[in-house]
Amino acid sequence: MLEIRDLQVRYGAVTAVQAVSLEVTAEDVVGLIGPNGAGKSSTALAVAGLIRTSSGSVTFDGRSLGSLSAAGRVQAGLVLVPQGRQLFPSLSVADNLRAGAWRLHQRFDRSDVGELLRDFPALHDRLEQPAGTLSGGEQQMLALARALASHPRFMILDEPSMGLSPIMVDRVADVIGRLASERGMTMLVIDQGIGLVRRVASRVLVMAQGRIVGEQTARELADQSAVEAMYFR
């Protein structure tokens, strides 16, 4: 469903992503891990159309995304849950969900809100609460629900465990697992650590210094020393 070939991203004289290639097939969950500064978020932003690429190609469901804007990519069914959640803190939970459903226009109503929150019960009683007053875990749940409001076929989750307690990381992992198993959602899950991705991904790519330096199964990730060796090679 997603094919990246020789992707390069530069910020001035600095090359953040160097000739990255990867594939994600339909209804699969692939992890992308690596240390801070490895180029993971730059890869996500480039695929989502939020930053310009220097070279390479991104193909989604057989269609080149090179000429599509970020909004056009959402229309095509590809959505990013960004690092840091990036909610509208002064808007209510319900209004954040409506913002996520902008491409559906008038077809998004109260019944759609109820369906969205089926996997996020903690938000049911907070629909009119400002998003900025939620806990970190609740905000992450809202960020996931807001992304689902656009009815995507592919989700990129950038650092979904950032700033969360171990208990909340477990809850986020459970939600990701349900989205994959019950809704057949295709996902690329990007994280700095291995704890979350080991639980949800079928295979995991390791990124360091702007490059993909290895690939492991979830079982192989149990060997922490092998992962560390790839981080710092």
Side-chain angles (χ1 to χ4, degrees):
M1 181 172 280
L2 179 71
E3 182 179 18
I4 301 172
R5 284 287 171 261
D6 298 321
L7 184 70
Q8 185 178 83
V9 176
R10 296 179 61 87
Y11 300 106
V14 177
T15 302
V17 179
Q18 305 185 50
V20 162
S21 297
L22 63 87
E23 295 179 0
V24 183
T25 57
E27 299 189 10
D28 196 7
V29 179
V30 173
L32 180 62
I33 65 173
N36 188 38
K40 306 184 302 301
S41 291
S42 292
T43 300
L45 293 170
V47 173
L50 294 170
I51 58 174
R52 185 170 298 181
T53 60
S54 301
S55 61
S57 64
V58 180
T59 303
F60 178 63
D61 202 17
R63 177 186 183 185
S64 172
L65 297 183
S67 62
L68 277 185
S69 65
R73 298 181 196 206
V74 175
Q75 291 277 16
L78 188 151
V79 66
L80 170 67
V81 181
Q83 179 177 328
R85 274 84 79 173
Q86 304 298 321
L87 300 172
F88 301 104
S90 63
L91 296 184
S92 68
V93 167
D95 283 341
N96 269 272
L97 294 175
R98 294 185 185 101
W102 64 272
R103 80 181 185 94
L104 303 178
H105 300 296
Q106 300 302 317
R107 290 177 290 146
F108 186 80
D109 57 25
R110 183 176 294 274
S111 64
D112 293 301
V113 171
E115 173 63 20
L116 270 176
L117 296 186
R118 178 169 59 88
D119 290 313
F120 309 95
L123 300 179
H124 269 289
D125 297 329
R126 293 170 169 77
L127 283 175
E128 301 309 317
Q129 185 173 328
T133 64
L134 300 177
S135 69
E138 291 166 344
Q139 288 187 21
Q140 186 61 63
M141 296 298 183
L142 177 55
L144 288 166
R146 183 181 63 177
L148 288 170
S150 68
H151 291 191
R153 293 182 294 136
F154 191 110
M155 294 176 66
I156 303 172
L157 280 57
D158 191 8
E159 301 283 359
S161 71
M162 176 181 286
L164 301 185
S165 68
I167 291 176
M168 287 309 306
V169 171
D170 287 344
R171 291 180 183 174
V172 170
D174 288 342
V175 169
I176 294 171
R178 287 199 300 274
L179 293 177
S181 63
E182 298 177 11
R183 303 195 187 194
M185 185 67 64
T186 308
M187 288 179 274
L188 178 64
V189 181
I190 300 171
D191 218 81
Q192 199 171 129
I194 65 175
L196 176 68
V197 294
R198 183 165 57 192
R199 289 187 52 184
V200 301
S202 62
R203 60 188 177 93
V204 181
L205 305 173
V206 182
M207 193 169 186
Q209 298 180 349
R211 299 179 182 275
I212 302 294
V213 297
E215 179 176 339
Q216 299 203 336
T217 65
R219 183 185 299 273
E220 290 169 335
L221 277 179
D223 184 357
Q224 181 75 42
S225 62
V227 176
E228 290 175 352
M230 285 188 284
Y231 270 35
F232 299 113
R233 68 163 61 174

